[in-house]
Amino acid sequence: MIRTAILGGSDLDAGELIRILTGHPDVEIIAVQASGLEGRQISSHHHGLIGERLPSFSASFSPGKCDVIFVCGPAIGAPRNRRCRHEDNLLQRSA
């Protein structure tokens, strides 16, 4: 059994990763870390996972108990949504 932990568990990509991993017969998700969601059921944030047997979101985990750690979240330098870019352009023009 491959024991996994996921950091940044509230991210949309993390939800998809959790969905994929729950279907793998050799993977056990032992921790999903998400700041601000500690103690909540994962399916309360990722509704597509309702009915899956998963741990609750945690504030921390023990790396020594994991075989694999996935890190999810926005990529550094990734473009923000269109509305934010538009607002940035307006701010630059008015400066």
Side-chain angles (χ1 to χ4, degrees), residues 67-79:
D67 299 309
V68 177
I69 300 171
F70 292 95
V71 180
C72 299
I76 296 172

Side-chain angles (χ1 to χ4, degrees), residues 5-69:
I6 300 169
L7 303 180
S10 61
D11 189 72
L12 291 175
D13 292 335
E16 182 64 11
L17 176 62
I18 295 166
R19 186 190 66 77
I20 292 167
L21 293 177
T22 56
H24 195 290
D26 296 325
V27 171
E28 176 188 10
I29 299 172
I30 62 169
V32 179
Q33 182 275 330
S35 298
L37 296 175
E38 298 88 352
R40 291 183 55 192
Q41 291 295 315
I42 292 171
S43 60
S44 71
H45 188 75
H46 298 294
H47 302 288
L49 298 171
I50 292 173
E52 296 290 341
R53 294 187 68 204
L54 295 165
S56 298
F57 284 115
S58 61
S60 62
F61 69 100
S62 199
K65 294 182 178 180
C66 303
D67 299 309
V68 177
I69 300 171

